[in-house]
Amino acid sequence: MTEENYNYRTSQTLLRNQFPGKGNLQIPIIPKFQEKPGDFDDLLLIGFDKTHLEDQNHLDRMVHFFLYDYRFERVWKNPESDLEKLSRYRAILSPDFSMYLEMAPVMQLYNVFRNRWCGAYWASKGIRVIPTVNWGDESTFDFCFEGVEKGSTVAVSTYMASEHDNRKDQKEWFMAGYNEMLRRIEPEKIICYNTPFPEMQGDIVFVDYERSSWKYMSYDRSFGKESLDAFKVGSEYRPQCDTIEPFLIGSGAVKGGGSAYGGNWKPSKAADEKFVGKPGEIKQSFTKKGDLYETRIAQMERQILKSIILTTEPRHYTIILIHMISIGMN
């Protein structure tokens, strides 16, 4: 075999075996979080997709991954790429790869492994890590709590399980797994992103979802190379041109567990309503200055199209947004 082939087949990018765990599955173990004074005082979180190297105002937050998986697949595919950035924050919650009830069991197992491997990897680099714990139905209980030491501080989110907006009540599913987690892990503390259910026991650190959102973040963000890297599709930065990862309107900030069908699609903000309608319909809206704006719904099949074109000049970045949405209805 060639040297290139040998290096590939023996690389950790492929094998992922440098953090052995317990039992047959060998799911990597995330070391216990060593609490420091003030770690959980008035705690706020910041989504991985909002972190960047220029941030100076939110470094006292912990980084969470309660996001759709496509927003943070890079931490698995290129785990070293975000080390410098993540090391600047107070701590990191291990990535919450999805555990939807409808997922194939092998995918649920794979996502637990990826969660723990990334956490173990960051811990090995000196980053403070708290394991995020998620689960499916009872069939996942034999592996979804692996890789977390007894007495560890852990993180969970009730957002997807809570009935609100267009999301269904999934508290029964959540509480079944939560109580099993208490029994198996006996966590010292539980960071709860979003309002805890009254039935939840344990030493809960409540993190307000609204106060942790982008609405309460303030910084001047320049679109430098490091910022754009967080969104690009390719693995190589091209100084003359780059492409930002597509952003789907209606994709909520938090996901990860319960039923994948637990909420219906809807525009994420009121202004997006102008893109929803029957083919041929003309929707009217007004700009902040009071000017009339008309949007014609195209004669197309149900689809969501959005592309972002980035043009660059020396020491200057310009983003041109082309936004096309059409939803055909019978």
Side-chain angles (χ1 to χ4, degrees):
M1 74 181 70
T2 65
E3 181 180 1
E4 180 182 6
N5 289 341
Y6 178 81
N7 290 338
Y8 171 75
R9 64 184 287 177
T10 59
S11 70
Q12 281 304 318
T13 302
L14 177 66
L15 299 179
R16 309 278 181 155
N17 63 355
Q18 70 269 56
F19 307 117
K22 296 179 180 178
N24 294 330
L25 296 176
Q26 292 290 295
I27 292 177
I29 297 173
I30 299 176
K32 281 185 181 180
F33 180 77
Q34 301 301 313
E35 181 180 349
K36 296 179 180 179
D39 269 344
F40 302 108
D41 295 345
D42 194 28
L43 178 62
L44 294 176
L45 302 184
I46 179 173
F48 171 75
D49 58 341
K50 297 296 185 291
T51 61
H52 62 101
L53 281 169
E54 294 83 12
D55 189 5
Q56 297 295 332
N57 298 333
H58 309 100
L59 301 182
D60 61 338
R61 299 190 182 206
M62 295 186 183
V63 179
H64 77 79
F65 292 80
F66 296 116
L67 308 163
Y68 287 102
D69 293 15
Y70 72 87
R71 293 184 179 274
F72 57 87
E73 281 283 346
R74 57 180 290 164
V75 302
W76 169 255
K77 295 178 180 178
N78 301 293
E80 72 286 344
S81 62
D82 293 290
L83 286 175
E84 181 182 357
K85 178 177 66 175
L86 294 178
S87 65
R88 303 173 71 237
Y89 292 88
R90 181 185 299 192
I92 312 298
L93 311 186
S94 63
D96 183 44
F97 290 102
S98 296
M99 290 280 290
Y100 290 122
L101 295 171
E102 295 82 7
M103 269 187 166
V106 68
M107 290 301 297
Q108 293 173 320
L109 174 58
Y110 176 59
N111 281 348
V112 171
F113 180 91
R114 295 201 292 169
N115 176 319
R116 307 298 193 265
W117 187 95
C118 289
Y121 173 77
W122 291 331
S124 74
K125 300 299 182 180
I127 296 177
R128 308 176 72 213
V129 180
I130 293 174
T132 300
V133 182
N134 203 349
W135 49 86
D137 58 22
E138 292 184 5
S139 67
T140 69
F141 290 175
D142 286 338
F143 60 82
C144 68
F145 306 114
E146 292 294 310
V148 182
E149 297 188 76
K150 277 203 171 187
S152 294
T153 294
V154 300
V156 300
S157 174
T158 61
Y159 189 83
M160 282 291 283
S162 302
E163 183 177 7
H164 64 279
D165 197 11
N166 66 332
R167 301 183 186 274
K168 298 177 182 178
D169 179 12
Q170 300 189 68
K171 184 171 73 171
E172 183 178 353
W173 154 78
F174 180 89
M175 288 305 305
Y178 182 84
N179 289 332
E180 187 67 14
M181 180 193 72
L182 293 182
R183 187 180 73 83
R184 298 201 184 212
I185 298 177
E186 300 176 4
E188 180 178 355
K189 282 186 172 66
I190 304 105
I191 296 175
C192 182
Y193 189 42
N194 197 53
T195 307
F197 294 120
E199 299 89 341
M200 291 171 61
Q201 299 180 5
D203 186 357
I204 296 174
V205 179
F206 165 54
V207 178
D208 190 286
Y209 171 81
E210 186 68 18
R211 287 185 59 226
S212 291
S213 73
W214 60 270
K215 299 176 185 177
Y216 294 88
M217 294 174 61
S218 57
Y219 54 79
D220 294 326
R221 179 165 183 164
S222 61
F223 284 90
K225 170 185 178 299
E226 294 82 5
S227 299
L228 293 171
D229 278 349
F231 301 95
K232 67 184 182 184
V233 174
S235 60
E236 181 179 345
Y237 175 71
R238 300 178 295 280
Q240 300 305 316
C241 179
D242 212 333
T243 304
I244 293 179
E245 179 176 302
F247 175 82
L248 302 182
I249 282 185
S251 59
V254 180
K255 60 89 235 166
S259 172
Y261 304 98
N264 297 321
W265 184 91
K266 60 175 277 186
S268 59
K269 52 185 182 294
D272 293 337
E273 293 287 351
K274 64 176 176 284
F275 299 115
V276 181
K278 296 180 179 180
E281 181 181 358
I282 296 178
K283 306 294 287 288
Q284 293 186 338
S285 58
F286 293 88
T287 66
K288 291 182 179 180
K289 295 182 180 180
D291 298 327
L292 175 64
Y293 184 85
E294 293 187 340
T295 304
R296 183 177 184 275
I297 307 300
Q299 300 282 349
M300 300 170 67
E301 294 180 354
R302 178 182 178 91
Q303 56 185 303
I304 299 177
L305 302 175
K306 187 168 186 181
S307 58
I308 300 177
I309 301 174
L310 173 70
T311 62
T312 64
E313 298 176 4
R315 305 183 64 183
H316 178 71
Y317 293 87
T318 302
I319 292 182
I320 302 173
L321 178 63
I322 301 176
H323 193 171
M324 302 170 58
I325 291 188
S326 174
I327 299 182
M329 297 182 179
N330 295 326

